[in-house]
Amino acid sequence: MDYNALSELLFPNIKKTPEEIEAMFPPRQLPEGAKVTRFAPSPTGFVHFGSLFPTMVGERLAHQSGGVFYLRIEDTDAKREVEGADMDIINSYASYGIFFDEGICAGGEKGNYGPYRQSKRAEIYQTYAKKLVEEGKAYPCFCTEEELSAIREEQEALKANPGYYGRWAKYRDADLETVKEKMADGLPFVLRFRSEGNIENKIKFTDLIKGAIEITENDIDHVLLKSDGIPTYHFAHAIDDHLMHTTHVVRGEEWLPSLPFHVQLFRALGFKIPKYLHISQLMKMEGGSKKKLSKRDLGAGLSYYVSEGYPAKSVKEYVMTLLNSNYEEWRAANPKADMNDFAFSIKKMSASGSLFDFDKLNDISKNTIAHMSADEVYDEIVKWAKEYDTELYDLFTRDSEYAKRILSIGRGTPKPRKDLCIWKDVKPYVGLFYDELFKVEAEIPANFDKEDVKKALTMFTETYDEKDDANEWFAKLKVIAEKLGFAPETKLYKKNPDDYKGHVGDISMFIRIALTGKTNSPDMYEVMNILGKERSLSRINNAIANI
């Protein structure tokens, strides 16, 4: 076979050489040990929660080492592409504070190693494809869908490994004249890799997460270029990672079966193989057993967390606990530190699947919000509410200082309150402070005499003085309790419950329900200070009238 003649026949319009292409993508000028990583999604319109894992790992590896983290859009599958999905990807990650040093961005592209859309790099791929043909490492295949189906059926009947290889590789050894005839007849073809692998052989490979593994050689003549000249993922990613000088490829373990071919392909192209990190799949418990978190599961899409109002910081904190086993210990010792101060380590990553746990996420989110300042919480709520709760947005922006006073309750203390888990919780939480939202949801238990409740509320309104400090305020409750036959101290009631109608906590509960409409609310002294005397007493008097 005259491979040079074959390459010219297949690629008459490709005039550049691989050497000329290489010159367009010179080595990066980075510090010693700097890592170059990428996030390379397909624009299919769905950003999976699990994609945060490789993205955050790639970002940390690059930025902790003084390297580069870039975004490449792998849009070679036009059938699955969703219009505008690339911008959704960019916006989704931006909402989580994840930004790319180069690649696709809202304004187009930035960086010197583009185009960063694979659909714009056809000439580059075909240049390397032509080289492989010249070297006898690739060939055209004219098989029709019917022929490929027949091959699959025969292999199934024989219980043979599926794929295009061996005696089923019909065009592997086709001569030049046959190829010319097929092309003259206008028959479409794909370009296949000529594999020299043998499934009887094993090769050793070191994955930075999985460790030392043995993989079976690839013997399949995989497709490199489709009939329209567009590359498959396998071919494109090898060339792009080489030219963009990617040092570490972070991806899901579902790509492990493709690793033998990728190793083979890098070697055939004469490229240095990047270091691979295959992250375990995200799992969930279902029926007592683990299963992969699928697109249909609640919480599978990143958009869910945005619409529910999970702070991006909370989600990232949670993901980090799954990525590095020592993160929680570090966070406990550094509750106010920036997440980026944590020394992320590949060695602390689990080789087994991570288990998704909503309860743990919610606990982390409560803790994260509790340690944010009132200003931070306010800004996050307003940003979220503008899109997802316009009523709350209008109330908060009408008087920002009033809203911040509400959010300041119990904040900044050694043990801050943990009332909020997501921004959807905000409206029910702050509703008691806004007359438009206020409603009485709780009732005073029927075992208390209504006259005692009335007297307690009346005595409170008569003795209330907004100048009292918290201690004076509570001291008056004790007096009211004692006058009505309630224990002024809870411990007295517990010691002799038959001697009292209740205790001071019950008096406090009467006032709480009248004032807030709930049995559980922020500190009442603080609540009354924010509502003001007139509004507070108006609510209590209204409750008295309705008893």
Side-chain angles (χ1 to χ4, degrees), residues 425-434 436-445 509-510 512-522 539 542-543:
D425 295 339
V426 173
K427 188 187 283 185
Y429 173 70
V430 304
L432 67 95
F433 294 98
Y434 293 93
E436 299 94 326
L437 301 177
F438 174 70
K439 56 185 177 181
V440 177
E441 299 173 348
E443 294 182 357
I444 295 171
M509 179 261 291
F510 302 158
R512 186 182 302 278
I513 292 176
L515 183 69
T516 71
K518 303 177 180 182
T519 55
N520 183 32
S521 72
R539 288 187 184 179
N542 187 59

PDB file of all heavy atoms in Angstrom, residues 425-434 436-445 509-510 512-522 539 542-543:
ATOM      1  N   ASP A 425     -35.944  29.205  52.547  1.00  0.00           N
ATOM      2  CA  ASP A 425     -36.353  29.244  53.955  1.00  0.00           C
ATOM      3  C   ASP A 425     -36.542  30.660  54.465  1.00  0.00           C
ATOM      4  O   ASP A 425     -37.109  30.862  55.543  1.00  0.00           O
ATOM      5  CB  ASP A 425     -35.284  28.570  54.843  1.00  0.00           C
ATOM      6  CG  ASP A 425     -35.133  27.091  54.578  1.00  0.00           C
ATOM      7  OD1 ASP A 425     -36.082  26.494  54.031  1.00  0.00           O
ATOM      8  OD2 ASP A 425     -34.071  26.535  54.926  1.00  0.00           O
ATOM      9  N   VAL A 426     -36.038  31.636  53.719  1.00  0.00           N
ATOM     10  CA  VAL A 426     -35.988  33.008  54.234  1.00  0.00           C
ATOM     11  C   VAL A 426     -37.366  33.591  54.462  1.00  0.00           C
ATOM     12  O   VAL A 426     -37.645  34.171  55.521  1.00  0.00           O
ATOM     13  CB  VAL A 426     -35.165  33.918  53.292  1.00  0.00           C
ATOM     14  CG1 VAL A 426     -35.264  35.377  53.728  1.00  0.00           C
ATOM     15  CG2 VAL A 426     -33.709  33.468  53.271  1.00  0.00           C
ATOM     16  N   LYS A 427     -38.253  33.464  53.485  1.00  0.00           N
ATOM     17  CA  LYS A 427     -39.569  34.101  53.625  1.00  0.00           C
ATOM     18  C   LYS A 427     -40.337  33.591  54.845  1.00  0.00           C
ATOM     19  O   LYS A 427     -40.855  34.394  55.628  1.00  0.00           O
ATOM     20  CB  LYS A 427     -40.400  33.926  52.351  1.00  0.00           C
ATOM     21  CG  LYS A 427     -41.694  34.751  52.385  1.00  0.00           C
ATOM     22  CD  LYS A 427     -42.600  34.456  51.203  1.00  0.00           C
ATOM     23  CE  LYS A 427     -42.115  35.108  49.970  1.00  0.00           C
ATOM     24  NZ  LYS A 427     -43.043  34.923  48.829  1.00  0.00           N
ATOM     25  N   PRO A 428     -40.431  32.279  55.067  1.00  0.00           N
ATOM     26  CA  PRO A 428     -41.104  31.810  56.286  1.00  0.00           C
ATOM     27  C   PRO A 428     -40.412  32.301  57.559  1.00  0.00           C
ATOM     28  O   PRO A 428     -41.074  32.575  58.557  1.00  0.00           O
ATOM     29  CB  PRO A 428     -41.014  30.278  56.181  1.00  0.00           C
ATOM     30  CG  PRO A 428     -40.817  30.003  54.742  1.00  0.00           C
ATOM     31  CD  PRO A 428     -40.025  31.146  54.209  1.00  0.00           C
ATOM     32  N   TYR A 429     -39.090  32.414  57.501  1.00  0.00           N
ATOM     33  CA  TYR A 429     -38.328  32.838  58.677  1.00  0.00           C
ATOM     34  C   TYR A 429     -38.556  34.320  58.998  1.00  0.00           C
ATOM     35  O   TYR A 429     -38.737  34.699  60.157  1.00  0.00           O
ATOM     36  CB  TYR A 429     -36.838  32.572  58.440  1.00  0.00           C
ATOM     37  CG  TYR A 429     -35.932  33.113  59.512  1.00  0.00           C
ATOM     38  CD1 TYR A 429     -35.911  32.556  60.792  1.00  0.00           C
ATOM     39  CD2 TYR A 429     -35.074  34.191  59.251  1.00  0.00           C
ATOM     40  CE1 TYR A 429     -35.079  33.047  61.778  1.00  0.00           C
ATOM     41  CE2 TYR A 429     -34.228  34.680  60.233  1.00  0.00           C
ATOM     42  CZ  TYR A 429     -34.236  34.113  61.494  1.00  0.00           C
ATOM     43  OH  TYR A 429     -33.410  34.608  62.480  1.00  0.00           O
ATOM     44  N   VAL A 430     -38.560  35.179  57.986  1.00  0.00           N
ATOM     45  CA  VAL A 430     -38.687  36.626  58.221  1.00  0.00           C
ATOM     46  C   VAL A 430     -40.129  37.101  58.164  1.00  0.00           C
ATOM     47  O   VAL A 430     -40.408  38.271  58.407  1.00  0.00           O
ATOM     48  CB  VAL A 430     -37.846  37.432  57.202  1.00  0.00           C
ATOM     49  CG1 VAL A 430     -36.395  36.990  57.242  1.00  0.00           C
ATOM     50  CG2 VAL A 430     -38.419  37.314  55.782  1.00  0.00           C
ATOM     51  N   GLY A 431     -41.065  36.199  57.829  1.00  0.00           N
ATOM     52  CA  GLY A 431     -42.455  36.604  57.644  1.00  0.00           C
ATOM     53  C   GLY A 431     -43.037  37.342  58.835  1.00  0.00           C
ATOM     54  O   GLY A 431     -43.843  38.271  58.686  1.00  0.00           O
ATOM     55  N   LEU A 432     -42.646  36.984  60.049  1.00  0.00           N
ATOM     56  CA  LEU A 432     -43.199  37.619  61.249  1.00  0.00           C
ATOM     57  C   LEU A 432     -42.807  39.087  61.352  1.00  0.00           C
ATOM     58  O   LEU A 432     -43.436  39.857  62.091  1.00  0.00           O
ATOM     59  CB  LEU A 432     -42.762  36.859  62.502  1.00  0.00           C
ATOM     60  CG  LEU A 432     -41.273  36.893  62.870  1.00  0.00           C
ATOM     61  CD1 LEU A 432     -41.004  38.007  63.886  1.00  0.00           C
ATOM     62  CD2 LEU A 432     -40.825  35.557  63.425  1.00  0.00           C
ATOM     63  N   PHE A 433     -41.771  39.514  60.617  1.00  0.00           N
ATOM     64  CA  PHE A 433     -41.310  40.906  60.687  1.00  0.00           C
ATOM     65  C   PHE A 433     -42.010  41.802  59.660  1.00  0.00           C
ATOM     66  O   PHE A 433     -41.827  43.009  59.678  1.00  0.00           O
ATOM     67  CB  PHE A 433     -39.794  40.973  60.456  1.00  0.00           C
ATOM     68  CG  PHE A 433     -38.994  40.314  61.541  1.00  0.00           C
ATOM     69  CD1 PHE A 433     -38.514  39.021  61.384  1.00  0.00           C
ATOM     70  CD2 PHE A 433     -38.722  40.980  62.732  1.00  0.00           C
ATOM     71  CE1 PHE A 433     -37.774  38.413  62.378  1.00  0.00           C
ATOM     72  CE2 PHE A 433     -37.990  40.376  63.732  1.00  0.00           C
ATOM     73  CZ  PHE A 433     -37.510  39.088  63.557  1.00  0.00           C
ATOM     74  N   TYR A 434     -42.767  41.199  58.765  1.00  0.00           N
ATOM     75  CA  TYR A 434     -43.449  41.962  57.724  1.00  0.00           C
ATOM     76  C   TYR A 434     -44.959  41.737  57.839  1.00  0.00           C
ATOM     77  O   TYR A 434     -45.429  40.599  57.781  1.00  0.00           O
ATOM     78  CB  TYR A 434     -42.953  41.537  56.335  1.00  0.00           C
ATOM     79  CG  TYR A 434     -41.511  41.915  56.080  1.00  0.00           C
ATOM     80  CD1 TYR A 434     -40.484  41.008  56.346  1.00  0.00           C
ATOM     81  CD2 TYR A 434     -41.177  43.171  55.588  1.00  0.00           C
ATOM     82  CE1 TYR A 434     -39.149  41.351  56.122  1.00  0.00           C
ATOM     83  CE2 TYR A 434     -39.853  43.523  55.358  1.00  0.00           C
ATOM     84  CZ  TYR A 434     -38.843  42.613  55.630  1.00  0.00           C
ATOM     85  OH  TYR A 434     -37.525  42.965  55.417  1.00  0.00           O
ATOM     86  N   GLU A 436     -47.207  42.173  55.802  1.00  0.00           N
ATOM     87  CA  GLU A 436     -47.768  41.533  54.608  1.00  0.00           C
ATOM     88  C   GLU A 436     -47.666  40.009  54.677  1.00  0.00           C
ATOM     89  O   GLU A 436     -48.460  39.307  54.044  1.00  0.00           O
ATOM     90  CB  GLU A 436     -47.030  42.009  53.335  1.00  0.00           C
ATOM     91  CG  GLU A 436     -47.110  43.495  53.077  1.00  0.00           C
ATOM     92  CD  GLU A 436     -45.902  44.245  53.651  1.00  0.00           C
ATOM     93  OE1 GLU A 436     -45.382  43.836  54.718  1.00  0.00           O
ATOM     94  OE2 GLU A 436     -45.489  45.231  53.018  1.00  0.00           O
ATOM     95  N   LEU A 437     -46.695  39.510  55.406  1.00  0.00           N
ATOM     96  CA  LEU A 437     -46.460  38.065  55.472  1.00  0.00           C
ATOM     97  C   LEU A 437     -46.883  37.443  56.799  1.00  0.00           C
ATOM     98  O   LEU A 437     -47.017  36.225  56.906  1.00  0.00           O
ATOM     99  CB  LEU A 437     -44.966  37.765  55.250  1.00  0.00           C
ATOM    100  CG  LEU A 437     -44.343  38.236  53.931  1.00  0.00           C
ATOM    101  CD1 LEU A 437     -42.850  37.910  53.923  1.00  0.00           C
ATOM    102  CD2 LEU A 437     -45.027  37.578  52.739  1.00  0.00           C
ATOM    103  N   PHE A 438     -47.093  38.292  57.794  1.00  0.00           N
ATOM    104  CA  PHE A 438     -47.361  37.775  59.147  1.00  0.00           C
ATOM    105  C   PHE A 438     -48.682  37.015  59.220  1.00  0.00           C
ATOM    106  O   PHE A 438     -49.705  37.438  58.696  1.00  0.00           O
ATOM    107  CB  PHE A 438     -47.404  38.933  60.155  1.00  0.00           C
ATOM    108  CG  PHE A 438     -47.813  38.492  61.537  1.00  0.00           C
ATOM    109  CD1 PHE A 438     -46.973  37.707  62.317  1.00  0.00           C
ATOM    110  CD2 PHE A 438     -49.058  38.846  62.053  1.00  0.00           C
ATOM    111  CE1 PHE A 438     -47.350  37.298  63.579  1.00  0.00           C
ATOM    112  CE2 PHE A 438     -49.446  38.435  63.314  1.00  0.00           C
ATOM    113  CZ  PHE A 438     -48.591  37.654  64.082  1.00  0.00           C
ATOM    114  N   LYS A 439     -48.635  35.856  59.874  1.00  0.00           N
ATOM    115  CA  LYS A 439     -49.849  35.085  60.126  1.00  0.00           C
ATOM    116  C   LYS A 439     -49.624  34.208  61.353  1.00  0.00           C
ATOM    117  O   LYS A 439     -48.496  33.786  61.643  1.00  0.00           O
ATOM    118  CB  LYS A 439     -50.230  34.222  58.922  1.00  0.00           C
ATOM    119  CG  LYS A 439     -49.156  33.262  58.442  1.00  0.00           C
ATOM    120  CD  LYS A 439     -49.610  32.545  57.174  1.00  0.00           C
ATOM    121  CE  LYS A 439     -48.505  31.633  56.638  1.00  0.00           C
ATOM    122  NZ  LYS A 439     -48.910  30.948  55.387  1.00  0.00           N
ATOM    123  N   VAL A 440     -50.700  33.974  62.082  1.00  0.00           N
ATOM    124  CA  VAL A 440     -50.613  33.148  63.290  1.00  0.00           C
ATOM    125  C   VAL A 440     -50.777  31.693  62.874  1.00  0.00           C
ATOM    126  O   VAL A 440     -51.819  31.287  62.370  1.00  0.00           O
ATOM    127  CB  VAL A 440     -51.695  33.553  64.313  1.00  0.00           C
ATOM    128  CG1 VAL A 440     -51.627  32.636  65.531  1.00  0.00           C
ATOM    129  CG2 VAL A 440     -51.531  35.007  64.722  1.00  0.00           C
ATOM    130  N   GLU A 441     -49.723  30.927  63.069  1.00  0.00           N
ATOM    131  CA  GLU A 441     -49.714  29.528  62.646  1.00  0.00           C
ATOM    132  C   GLU A 441     -49.861  28.564  63.818  1.00  0.00           C
ATOM    133  O   GLU A 441     -50.192  27.391  63.623  1.00  0.00           O
ATOM    134  CB  GLU A 441     -48.403  29.223  61.914  1.00  0.00           C
ATOM    135  CG  GLU A 441     -48.205  30.066  60.650  1.00  0.00           C
ATOM    136  CD  GLU A 441     -46.825  29.874  60.052  1.00  0.00           C
ATOM    137  OE1 GLU A 441     -45.964  29.279  60.728  1.00  0.00           O
ATOM    138  OE2 GLU A 441     -46.607  30.322  58.917  1.00  0.00           O
ATOM    139  N   ALA A 442     -49.600  29.040  65.032  1.00  0.00           N
ATOM    140  CA  ALA A 442     -49.642  28.169  66.212  1.00  0.00           C
ATOM    141  C   ALA A 442     -50.756  28.598  67.157  1.00  0.00           C
ATOM    142  O   ALA A 442     -51.223  29.742  67.130  1.00  0.00           O
ATOM    143  CB  ALA A 442     -48.293  28.203  66.934  1.00  0.00           C
ATOM    144  N   GLU A 443     -51.194  27.666  67.974  1.00  0.00           N
ATOM    145  CA  GLU A 443     -52.214  27.958  68.977  1.00  0.00           C
ATOM    146  C   GLU A 443     -51.659  27.661  70.366  1.00  0.00           C
ATOM    147  O   GLU A 443     -50.829  26.770  70.545  1.00  0.00           O
ATOM    148  CB  GLU A 443     -53.464  27.102  68.743  1.00  0.00           C
ATOM    149  CG  GLU A 443     -54.204  27.415  67.456  1.00  0.00           C
ATOM    150  CD  GLU A 443     -55.461  26.568  67.311  1.00  0.00           C
ATOM    151  OE1 GLU A 443     -55.699  25.705  68.191  1.00  0.00           O
ATOM    152  OE2 GLU A 443     -56.193  26.768  66.323  1.00  0.00           O
ATOM    153  N   ILE A 444     -52.146  28.417  71.341  1.00  0.00           N
ATOM    154  CA  ILE A 444     -51.750  28.149  72.721  1.00  0.00           C
ATOM    155  C   ILE A 444     -52.410  26.848  73.161  1.00  0.00           C
ATOM    156  O   ILE A 444     -53.609  26.648  72.942  1.00  0.00           O
ATOM    157  CB  ILE A 444     -52.168  29.317  73.638  1.00  0.00           C
ATOM    158  CG1 ILE A 444     -51.375  30.572  73.239  1.00  0.00           C
ATOM    159  CG2 ILE A 444     -51.930  28.965  75.108  1.00  0.00           C
ATOM    160  CD1 ILE A 444     -51.826  31.846  73.914  1.00  0.00           C
ATOM    161  N   PRO A 445     -51.639  25.917  73.703  1.00  0.00           N
ATOM    162  CA  PRO A 445     -52.191  24.614  74.099  1.00  0.00           C
ATOM    163  C   PRO A 445     -53.441  24.746  74.968  1.00  0.00           C
ATOM    164  O   PRO A 445     -53.538  25.630  75.826  1.00  0.00           O
ATOM    165  CB  PRO A 445     -51.041  23.975  74.885  1.00  0.00           C
ATOM    166  CG  PRO A 445     -49.817  24.599  74.296  1.00  0.00           C
ATOM    167  CD  PRO A 445     -50.206  26.016  73.996  1.00  0.00           C
ATOM    168  N   MET A 509     -43.967  31.525  76.146  1.00  0.00           N
ATOM    169  CA  MET A 509     -44.595  30.902  74.977  1.00  0.00           C
ATOM    170  C   MET A 509     -45.884  31.619  74.590  1.00  0.00           C
ATOM    171  O   MET A 509     -46.164  31.815  73.406  1.00  0.00           O
ATOM    172  CB  MET A 509     -44.850  29.426  75.270  1.00  0.00           C
ATOM    173  CG  MET A 509     -45.524  28.652  74.150  1.00  0.00           C
ATOM    174  SD  MET A 509     -47.301  28.481  74.432  1.00  0.00           S
ATOM    175  CE  MET A 509     -47.305  27.354  75.831  1.00  0.00           C
ATOM    176  N   PHE A 510     -46.684  32.058  75.589  1.00  0.00           N
ATOM    177  CA  PHE A 510     -47.916  32.797  75.293  1.00  0.00           C
ATOM    178  C   PHE A 510     -47.583  34.057  74.481  1.00  0.00           C
ATOM    179  O   PHE A 510     -48.246  34.371  73.487  1.00  0.00           O
ATOM    180  CB  PHE A 510     -48.623  33.217  76.582  1.00  0.00           C
ATOM    181  CG  PHE A 510     -48.999  32.088  77.509  1.00  0.00           C
ATOM    182  CD1 PHE A 510     -49.219  32.332  78.863  1.00  0.00           C
ATOM    183  CD2 PHE A 510     -49.147  30.795  77.037  1.00  0.00           C
ATOM    184  CE1 PHE A 510     -49.576  31.304  79.726  1.00  0.00           C
ATOM    185  CE2 PHE A 510     -49.507  29.761  77.891  1.00  0.00           C
ATOM    186  CZ  PHE A 510     -49.706  30.018  79.243  1.00  0.00           C
ATOM    187  N   ARG A 512     -44.823  34.661  72.800  1.00  0.00           N
ATOM    188  CA  ARG A 512     -44.191  34.319  71.506  1.00  0.00           C
ATOM    189  C   ARG A 512     -45.250  34.050  70.431  1.00  0.00           C
ATOM    190  O   ARG A 512     -45.152  34.548  69.306  1.00  0.00           O
ATOM    191  CB  ARG A 512     -43.290  33.097  71.669  1.00  0.00           C
ATOM    192  CG  ARG A 512     -42.476  32.766  70.421  1.00  0.00           C
ATOM    193  CD  ARG A 512     -41.632  31.513  70.613  1.00  0.00           C
ATOM    194  NE  ARG A 512     -40.724  31.632  71.723  1.00  0.00           N
ATOM    195  CZ  ARG A 512     -39.547  32.236  71.682  1.00  0.00           C
ATOM    196  NH1 ARG A 512     -39.152  32.798  70.563  1.00  0.00           N
ATOM    197  NH2 ARG A 512     -38.780  32.291  72.759  1.00  0.00           N
ATOM    198  N   ILE A 513     -46.265  33.276  70.792  1.00  0.00           N
ATOM    199  CA  ILE A 513     -47.307  32.956  69.808  1.00  0.00           C
ATOM    200  C   ILE A 513     -48.089  34.209  69.430  1.00  0.00           C
ATOM    201  O   ILE A 513     -48.394  34.432  68.245  1.00  0.00           O
ATOM    202  CB  ILE A 513     -48.243  31.859  70.352  1.00  0.00           C
ATOM    203  CG1 ILE A 513     -47.480  30.522  70.451  1.00  0.00           C
ATOM    204  CG2 ILE A 513     -49.473  31.696  69.458  1.00  0.00           C
ATOM    205  CD1 ILE A 513     -48.267  29.401  71.071  1.00  0.00           C
ATOM    206  N   ALA A 514     -48.400  35.043  70.412  1.00  0.00           N
ATOM    207  CA  ALA A 514     -49.127  36.283  70.123  1.00  0.00           C
ATOM    208  C   ALA A 514     -48.311  37.226  69.248  1.00  0.00           C
ATOM    209  O   ALA A 514     -48.847  37.890  68.354  1.00  0.00           O
ATOM    210  CB  ALA A 514     -49.490  36.973  71.444  1.00  0.00           C
ATOM    211  N   LEU A 515     -47.027  37.279  69.520  1.00  0.00           N
ATOM    212  CA  LEU A 515     -46.147  38.229  68.837  1.00  0.00           C
ATOM    213  C   LEU A 515     -45.677  37.736  67.471  1.00  0.00           C
ATOM    214  O   LEU A 515     -45.638  38.503  66.509  1.00  0.00           O
ATOM    215  CB  LEU A 515     -44.924  38.498  69.728  1.00  0.00           C
ATOM    216  CG  LEU A 515     -43.904  39.531  69.241  1.00  0.00           C
ATOM    217  CD1 LEU A 515     -44.510  40.928  69.283  1.00  0.00           C
ATOM    218  CD2 LEU A 515     -42.647  39.478  70.106  1.00  0.00           C
ATOM    219  N   THR A 516     -45.328  36.443  67.371  1.00  0.00           N
ATOM    220  CA  THR A 516     -44.727  35.919  66.141  1.00  0.00           C
ATOM    221  C   THR A 516     -45.619  34.948  65.375  1.00  0.00           C
ATOM    222  O   THR A 516     -45.360  34.654  64.210  1.00  0.00           O
ATOM    223  CB  THR A 516     -43.399  35.189  66.450  1.00  0.00           C
ATOM    224  OG1 THR A 516     -43.675  33.961  67.139  1.00  0.00           O
ATOM    225  CG2 THR A 516     -42.489  36.055  67.320  1.00  0.00           C
ATOM    226  N   GLY A 517     -46.659  34.430  66.044  1.00  0.00           N
ATOM    227  CA  GLY A 517     -47.536  33.459  65.397  1.00  0.00           C
ATOM    228  C   GLY A 517     -46.947  32.065  65.376  1.00  0.00           C
ATOM    229  O   GLY A 517     -47.511  31.151  64.764  1.00  0.00           O
ATOM    230  N   LYS A 518     -45.813  31.869  66.056  1.00  0.00           N
ATOM    231  CA  LYS A 518     -45.122  30.581  66.040  1.00  0.00           C
ATOM    232  C   LYS A 518     -44.706  30.169  67.448  1.00  0.00           C
ATOM    233  O   LYS A 518     -44.645  31.000  68.358  1.00  0.00           O
ATOM    234  CB  LYS A 518     -43.856  30.670  65.165  1.00  0.00           C
ATOM    235  CG  LYS A 518     -44.112  31.103  63.734  1.00  0.00           C
ATOM    236  CD  LYS A 518     -42.799  31.228  62.987  1.00  0.00           C
ATOM    237  CE  LYS A 518     -43.023  31.652  61.534  1.00  0.00           C
ATOM    238  NZ  LYS A 518     -41.752  31.720  60.778  1.00  0.00           N
ATOM    239  N   THR A 519     -44.409  28.892  67.609  1.00  0.00           N
ATOM    240  CA  THR A 519     -43.862  28.414  68.892  1.00  0.00           C
ATOM    241  C   THR A 519     -42.341  28.462  68.882  1.00  0.00           C
ATOM    242  O   THR A 519     -41.699  28.367  69.913  1.00  0.00           O
ATOM    243  CB  THR A 519     -44.298  26.962  69.172  1.00  0.00           C
ATOM    244  OG1 THR A 519     -43.918  26.138  68.061  1.00  0.00           O
ATOM    245  CG2 THR A 519     -45.810  26.890  69.375  1.00  0.00           C
ATOM    246  N   ASN A 520     -41.787  28.616  67.673  1.00  0.00           N
ATOM    247  CA  ASN A 520     -40.330  28.698  67.552  1.00  0.00           C
ATOM    248  C   ASN A 520     -39.984  29.923  66.715  1.00  0.00           C
ATOM    249  O   ASN A 520     -40.473  30.086  65.601  1.00  0.00           O
ATOM    250  CB  ASN A 520     -39.790  27.433  66.891  1.00  0.00           C
ATOM    251  CG  ASN A 520     -38.278  27.429  66.812  1.00  0.00           C
ATOM    252  OD1 ASN A 520     -37.609  27.984  67.684  1.00  0.00           O
ATOM    253  ND2 ASN A 520     -37.735  26.813  65.779  1.00  0.00           N
ATOM    254  N   SER A 521     -39.151  30.785  67.266  1.00  0.00           N
ATOM    255  CA  SER A 521     -38.798  32.016  66.568  1.00  0.00           C
ATOM    256  C   SER A 521     -37.475  32.533  67.106  1.00  0.00           C
ATOM    257  O   SER A 521     -36.967  32.035  68.119  1.00  0.00           O
ATOM    258  CB  SER A 521     -39.891  33.073  66.777  1.00  0.00           C
ATOM    259  OG  SER A 521     -39.854  33.564  68.115  1.00  0.00           O
ATOM    260  N   PRO A 522     -36.904  33.534  66.464  1.00  0.00           N
ATOM    261  CA  PRO A 522     -35.698  34.152  67.011  1.00  0.00           C
ATOM    262  C   PRO A 522     -35.972  34.757  68.386  1.00  0.00           C
ATOM    263  O   PRO A 522     -37.121  34.860  68.816  1.00  0.00           O
ATOM    264  CB  PRO A 522     -35.364  35.232  65.983  1.00  0.00           C
ATOM    265  CG  PRO A 522     -36.025  34.800  64.726  1.00  0.00           C
ATOM    266  CD  PRO A 522     -37.272  34.102  65.155  1.00  0.00           C
ATOM    267  N   ARG A 539     -49.991  43.571  68.114  1.00  0.00           N
ATOM    268  CA  ARG A 539     -50.179  42.137  67.859  1.00  0.00           C
ATOM    269  C   ARG A 539     -50.639  41.420  69.138  1.00  0.00           C
ATOM    270  O   ARG A 539     -51.518  40.556  69.104  1.00  0.00           O
ATOM    271  CB  ARG A 539     -48.886  41.515  67.339  1.00  0.00           C
ATOM    272  CG  ARG A 539     -48.551  41.907  65.918  1.00  0.00           C
ATOM    273  CD  ARG A 539     -47.351  41.131  65.401  1.00  0.00           C
ATOM    274  NE  ARG A 539     -46.959  41.572  64.064  1.00  0.00           N
ATOM    275  CZ  ARG A 539     -45.941  41.076  63.380  1.00  0.00           C
ATOM    276  NH1 ARG A 539     -45.202  40.113  63.926  1.00  0.00           N
ATOM    277  NH2 ARG A 539     -45.652  41.524  62.175  1.00  0.00           N
ATOM    278  N   ASN A 542     -54.168  42.291  69.914  1.00  0.00           N
ATOM    279  CA  ASN A 542     -55.051  41.595  68.973  1.00  0.00           C
ATOM    280  C   ASN A 542     -55.245  40.134  69.391  1.00  0.00           C
ATOM    281  O   ASN A 542     -56.356  39.585  69.298  1.00  0.00           O
ATOM    282  CB  ASN A 542     -54.460  41.661  67.563  1.00  0.00           C
ATOM    283  CG  ASN A 542     -55.404  41.120  66.512  1.00  0.00           C
ATOM    284  OD1 ASN A 542     -56.522  41.611  66.358  1.00  0.00           O
ATOM    285  ND2 ASN A 542     -54.959  40.099  65.800  1.00  0.00           N
ATOM    286  N   ALA A 543     -54.182  39.527  69.887  1.00  0.00           N
ATOM    287  CA  ALA A 543     -54.265  38.142  70.371  1.00  0.00           C
ATOM    288  C   ALA A 543     -55.172  38.059  71.590  1.00  0.00           C
ATOM    289  O   ALA A 543     -55.971  37.119  71.729  1.00  0.00           O
ATOM    290  CB  ALA A 543     -52.866  37.630  70.708  1.00  0.00           C
TER     291      ALA A 543
END
